[in-house]
Amino acid sequence: MSASQVFIIMGVSGSGKTTVGRLLAQTLELPFFDADDFHSPENIAKMQGGTPLTDDDRQGWLARLASSIEGWSQGPGAVLACSALKEKYRQQLSAADSQPIAWTLLDGPPELVRRRLEGRQGHYMNPALLDSQFATLERPAYALCLPIDAAPEYLVNRIVAHFNKADSPA
């Protein structure tokens, strides 16, 4: 892995992005950020109320994330947990980094994710929005895709091994 590497752990709400992202950041000794913390109060209120965000709603959020990615890529790097459901969102985030972002998609069956969301406390994401998230998700062929039913430690080991191999000379 190169210096100043930015890792984005992506997927629908409840896929384990924050859990895996925090563990990856700890393993790599990088700062961890959650894209949820970059949402405006208006966006949070919409999601709490069960209203899916529009592309227009996401523009300020994506701009704040892109600006942060640019800074992280000029520093030590970072790990970001971010839904990044559409390709155009990922392109906007990728354009902010001078080197390729290390993308990992945590993916799994809607039933498992729904059970996780229903058991989660203290998060603003309304479980009723899960269907719209799966409908919006455009799975990137270039991302490392991992199953959400695996242990977080296993997933982190796979991420580290994959991106270490990707940076090795051929």
Side-chain angles (χ1 to χ4, degrees):
M1 282 170 273
S2 58
S4 303
Q5 181 71 60
V6 174
F7 293 83
I8 297 184
I9 311 302
M10 62 168 289
V12 298
S13 187
S15 62
K17 298 181 301 290
T18 299
T19 300
V20 172
R22 284 186 196 280
L23 186 56
L24 179 63
Q26 180 181 10
T27 300
L28 298 176
E29 299 180 353
L30 291 174
F32 171 78
F33 300 93
D34 193 319
D36 288 345
D37 297 335
F38 292 74
H39 275 296
S40 68
E42 295 82 13
N43 283 2
I44 291 170
K46 280 185 87 168
M47 289 185 282
Q48 283 175 328
T51 303
L53 298 180
T54 65
D55 286 350
D56 285 343
D57 292 330
R58 288 185 176 89
Q59 282 313 304
W61 175 69
L62 288 166
R64 285 187 290 281
L65 288 171
S67 176
S68 295
I69 288 169
E70 183 177 19
W72 301 331
S73 69
Q74 295 171 11
V79 176
L80 175 67
C82 181
S83 55
L85 299 175
K86 289 185 179 182
E87 182 61 28
K88 67 181 179 178
Y89 306 159
R90 293 188 294 274
Q91 292 302 319
Q92 186 172 346
L93 297 176
S94 292
D97 199 347
S98 58
Q99 62 181 323
I101 289 175
W103 291 95
T104 299
L105 169 63
L106 300 180
D107 204 3
E111 305 77 33
L112 174 56
V113 178
R114 188 173 314 284
R115 282 195 306 273
R116 286 181 175 186
L117 284 177
E118 289 169 352
R120 193 156 75 172
Q121 301 292 319
H123 193 274
Y124 60 76
M125 177 65 174
N126 187 321
L129 296 177
L130 184 60
D131 291 337
S132 72
Q133 285 209 333
F134 271 105
T136 301
L137 177 61
E138 297 169 0
R139 291 168 176 83
Y142 51 83
L144 172 63
C145 185
L146 296 174
I148 64 170
D149 58 351
E153 296 80 8
Y154 170 81
L155 296 173
V156 167
N157 289 337
R158 290 278 312 272
I159 294 166
V160 170
H162 176 81
F163 289 106
N164 270 335
K165 181 180 174 189
D167 284 350
S168 297

